[in-house]
Amino acid sequence: MKIREFKTELWLPLPPEKLFPFFADAANLQALTPPWLNFSIVTTRPIAMREGTLIDYKLRVRGVPLRWRTRINVWQPPERFVDEQIRGPYRHWIHEHTFKPQAGGTLCGDLLQYAVPFDFLMHYWLVRPDMEKIFRFRSSALRRLFAPEPVNPA
């Protein structure tokens, strides 16, 4: 099984202790997920986030309905948390979220370690392009929420 990595960073103009609560509410994942994935949380809310929390989702990837379950393996507010896919389309999926103070704001990091079935076919043609598109959407959504462009009075 070939483990791949995907890493992305985004600076936002709030300190980690102000930004982390948004990520601590699982319901906000909806706002960070592209609409074309038809994403929804199945787990009854509110969800108490902590180590061991299980969260179930439904989504569609390229029209294929999927169920996904993650477990929170590490919960260290406001610095980081790690979720792992317990059930879903990946053979391996661990997603580390980090929140580091930087220049009066927060450097938000995402490090994914993942493996897919039929890697030699799926990764470059389907999985990696989809992942890049999803994280571009996520970055754009976070910028809109936490770093909106100032209004230019005309």
Side-chain angles (χ1 to χ4, degrees):
M1 175 169 62
K2 183 170 181 82
I3 305 291
R4 305 272 186 178
E5 283 194 357
F6 179 85
K7 183 177 181 179
T8 185
E9 293 181 325
L10 173 67
W11 183 86
L12 294 170
L14 291 173
E17 57 275 4
K18 298 274 188 188
L19 192 59
F20 195 89
F22 176 82
F23 290 88
D25 183 349
N28 289 329
L29 189 53
Q30 183 87 36
L32 302 180
T33 305
W36 63 85
L37 290 176
N38 296 309
F39 174 87
S40 64
I41 297 172
V42 177
T43 303
T44 303
R45 289 178 259 177
I47 299 169
M49 297 294 278
R50 62 181 179 273
E51 285 185 25
T53 295
L54 298 173
I55 308 170
D56 291 305
Y57 316 94
K58 290 190 310 186
L59 65 153
R60 287 185 175 272
V61 176
R62 295 182 178 265
V64 177
L66 299 170
R67 290 200 169 260
W68 186 307
R69 171 176 276 182
T70 59
R71 177 180 58 224
I72 304 299
N73 289 342
V74 177
W75 187 252
Q76 299 171 332
E79 292 92 25
R80 71 191 274 260
F81 68 98
V82 178
D83 61 87
E84 178 181 6
Q85 174 198 276
I86 302 303
R87 182 181 67 228
Y90 292 86
R91 294 177 74 191
H92 174 84
W93 172 278
I94 296 177
H95 183 179
E96 180 181 18
H97 310 254
T98 57
F99 304 86
K100 296 178 183 168
Q102 186 182 79
T106 301
L107 185 62
C108 301
D110 290 284
L111 174 61
L112 290 98
Q113 296 176 330
Y114 63 97
V116 295
F118 307 108
D119 179 87
F120 62 97
L121 292 173
M122 302 288 288
H123 182 256
Y124 287 110
W125 299 106
L126 299 172
V127 174
R128 185 66 178 219
D130 282 356
M131 195 172 293
E132 289 171 354
K133 191 175 175 184
I134 289 165
F135 275 87
R136 273 194 308 272
F137 178 92
R138 179 185 177 103
S139 289
S140 178
L142 285 166
R143 275 192 216 96
R144 275 193 313 276
L145 288 165
F146 297 107
E149 294 295 320
V151 175
N152 190 6

